[in-house]
Amino acid sequence: MTNQAPAITPVGKFGIPGRAVYGSRHLWVEGATLGSGQIATVIGAIVGTRFLTGLLAPAVYGDLALALTVAALLSLVGSGPIGNAVGRFYAVAHERGTLRCFFRAAAVLYGQYHLGACLLALVALVIFRGQEALAAWTSVGLAVIALSLVNGAGGLLDAMQNAARQRLVVAWHQAAGQWLRLVGAIVCIRWAGATVTSALFGYVGASLLVLGSQFLFFHLRLRSLAAAEPNPRKAPMRLMTMEMRSYANPFVAFAAIAWLQQASDRWCLALFGSRMDVGLYQTLNQVGYSPLMQLSGLISLVVAPILFFQVGDGTDVGRVHRARGRVRQLSWLMFVGTLFFAGLLWLFGKPLFALVVAPEYRSAACYLPLAALAGGLFATGQMLTTDALLQMNSKALIAPKIGSASLAVALNYAGARAFGLPGVVWAGVATSSVYAFWMFLLVGRGNSPAVKWLLLTCLAVRQPVS
């Protein structure tokens, strides 16, 4: 692994790579821009936790957490895979001069994947609304589908604008969305009552405002980039769509199982514990698990587009090797930061938790360091996935994604059934550890000295004592 900074092409006014070598000063500016937006987003999430836990009882807050897991499922299966393809293929389309094909292909795939997933959800809602036990959830289901549609479109615009290196646009739309959703939820709860449906429709209204702003920036700053290109013909359009679909399909393959990893903890708690347990666990996620995931997301937002531009179509082995080295360096930093953050919460977590949640939620404070450890280890594994994306080998991620997700479902089920809330927290730590270790081995491929040492150690331990 080289310590020399890679030569990275800078962007121009609207995210166009220029000819000069990308300076570290510009990278710090981009990082500070996105960082300011992420800080505002995290503060908004913490403030939102404090206000919403004060307005909603733990059981209702648990129901809201369960409803949001359904919206997350639709996003993972629908817009999530397309967002990954958009982030990776923007640089390719720019090099080829086929941005018009790229934009249209993204719209076609959004219709096929995300609208299709939401339509299936709507059909299921219509079928099951006749059952008396589920009839009360009809309005919640409609709100979830509406929220997923709006957030899916916004996520794709975010992916395009981030790939084009429009950092300020992405960062502050995310921050504005966090704060506007809080305001929308509070207004709707005050107006219509402290229910899950009220909070969700508040989220929908706020997300629509953000989506309108995102589309305006897309029209003014991204669509204009392709103004000089000729109208795309059918053959190049089909080729771009097929390439993006081929790249996205592996993400669809493990999206549903990945959702089980993210949501099975709350559903198992609801099954074997209570809705109040789900509400308590959700606060642990927001205060302990999410901050390191946000940090990992910030680093990916800054670094991934730069590395994708550096790698290009992946034909230059030297460029790919340098980019992969950066991924490994950042992953080690994330791992060390995880241990440090979990240690801080072990020392000062209880008074911090008391500041950001209502009194009836504070009994879960003792599990806060474990939630942070689980979040940081999972974030480390997620950062390592960039290595496969740089090589356009998203299929390599199927085994670790599905394997760790299956383990998460099993451990969450067993932990919730045997121990309740603490069992699910420890299950998260175990699953995230396995996922990070699996990705570490996958990235090393036996070539890293650390991997070789680890494997030799394992073999030595297994040898019988003479």
Side-chain angles (χ1 to χ4, degrees):
M1 186 186 304
T2 178
N3 293 325
Q4 183 180 358
I8 300 175
T9 306
V11 294
K13 183 178 179 182
F14 296 126
I16 303 294
R19 295 181 180 177
V21 174
Y22 191 85
S24 60
R25 181 178 65 85
H26 296 83
L27 181 59
W28 280 108
V29 169
E30 290 191 7
T33 300
L34 278 172
S36 61
Q38 289 288 325
I39 290 171
T41 302
V42 171
I43 293 174
I46 292 173
V47 172
T49 301
R50 185 64 184 88
F51 274 94
L52 291 180
T53 55
L55 292 172
L56 301 176
V60 179
Y61 198 64
D63 289 342
L64 177 61
L66 295 175
L68 291 176
T69 63
V70 179
L73 171 62
L74 296 176
S75 295
L76 278 172
V77 175
S79 61
I82 309 307
N84 282 296
V86 163
R88 182 62 185 91
F89 276 84
Y90 179 86
V92 176
H94 182 270
E95 284 189 359
R96 296 175 180 174
T98 56
L99 282 175
R100 282 198 175 189
C101 288
F102 170 76
F103 293 145
R104 294 191 183 184
V108 168
L109 293 175
Y110 173 79
Q112 293 174 349
Y113 284 71
H114 198 75
L115 291 179
C118 289
L119 181 60
L120 289 176
L122 183 61
V123 171
L125 187 64
V126 171
I127 292 174
F128 289 107
R129 71 184 298 268
Q131 299 186 14
E132 184 177 352
L134 300 176
W137 288 86
T138 301
S139 58
V140 175
L142 291 174
V144 165
I145 293 172
L147 181 62
S148 177
L149 284 171
V150 177
N151 285 347
L156 289 186
L157 291 176
D158 261 351
M160 289 183 187
Q161 287 158 345
N162 183 61
R165 310 277 287 280
Q166 296 178 9
R167 309 301 202 179
L168 189 62
V169 174
V170 174
W172 287 102
H173 273 127
Q174 291 181 348
Q178 184 67 57
W179 284 93
L180 285 174
R181 281 192 291 271
L182 170 61
V183 173
I186 292 174
V187 169
C188 287
I189 288 172
R190 292 292 190 187
W191 177 58
T195 65
V196 178
T197 306
S198 300
L200 287 173
F201 276 113
Y203 288 170
V204 172
S207 298
L208 280 172
L209 292 176
V210 175
L211 179 62
S213 176
Q214 286 176 303
F215 185 78
L216 178 62
F217 275 92
F218 167 78
H219 183 76
L220 294 176
R221 305 188 65 182
L222 269 183
R223 197 172 178 182
S224 60
L225 298 179
E229 295 179 3
N231 287 325
R233 291 175 295 177
K234 290 185 178 180
M237 169 76 179
R238 287 198 191 113
L239 177 61
M240 177 64 73
T241 305
M242 288 175 60
E243 288 179 336
M244 293 178 66
R245 184 185 292 115
S246 176
Y247 182 86
N249 279 340
F251 292 97
V252 179
F254 55 67
I257 299 181
W259 173 82
L260 287 175
Q261 179 175 0
Q262 298 177 13
S264 61
D265 46 9
R266 277 150 284 189
W267 285 100
C268 287
L269 273 178
L271 178 63
F272 296 110
S274 65
R275 294 156 56 209
M276 180 177 177
D277 288 337
V278 179
L280 296 177
Y281 183 77
Q282 181 70 1
T283 59
L284 289 174
N285 268 351
Q286 292 171 322
V287 181
Y289 189 94
S290 294
L292 289 175
M293 291 297 295
Q294 291 278 358
L295 177 60
S296 174
L298 167 62
I299 295 173
S300 296
L301 283 174
V302 175
V303 174
I306 297 173
L307 296 179
F308 289 154
F309 269 116
Q310 178 187 347
V311 170
D313 59 6
T315 55
D316 189 322
V317 177
R319 292 164 63 185
V320 173
H321 178 73
R322 288 191 295 272
R324 294 183 67 194
R326 292 299 180 194
V327 172
R328 290 192 289 270
Q329 289 175 347
L330 291 171
S331 300
W332 277 112
L333 288 175
M334 175 59 66
F335 176 71
V336 173
T338 295
L339 298 180
F340 179 74
F341 183 61
L344 285 180
L345 290 182
W346 181 69
L347 294 173
F348 308 109
K350 289 186 177 180
L352 174 64
F353 203 60
L355 290 175
V356 297
V357 300
E360 57 266 36
Y361 292 81
R362 294 172 187 170
S363 59
C366 57
Y367 305 115
L368 193 59
L370 294 175
L373 185 61
L377 290 172
F378 189 80
T380 302
Q382 286 292 89
M383 190 165 292
L384 286 168
T385 63
T386 309
D387 181 84
L389 303 185
L390 289 171
Q391 303 174 76
M392 288 194 179
N393 187 24
S394 54
K395 293 181 181 179
L397 301 177
I398 293 178
K401 289 282 188 179
I402 292 181
S404 60
S406 302
L407 177 64
V409 174
L411 291 181
N412 285 330
Y413 180 90
R417 183 167 185 172
F419 304 106
L421 177 60
V424 172
V425 172
W426 277 105
V429 175
T431 302
S432 297
S433 301
V434 170
Y435 177 60
F437 182 66
W438 196 334
M439 288 305 307
F440 172 72
L441 294 179
L442 181 66
V443 169
R445 297 279 187 181
N447 296 321
S448 168
V451 174
K452 289 181 179 179
W453 177 86
L454 184 61
L455 293 177
L456 289 173
T457 302
C458 292
L459 290 173
V461 171
R462 293 181 61 186
Q463 294 297 323
V465 180
S466 57

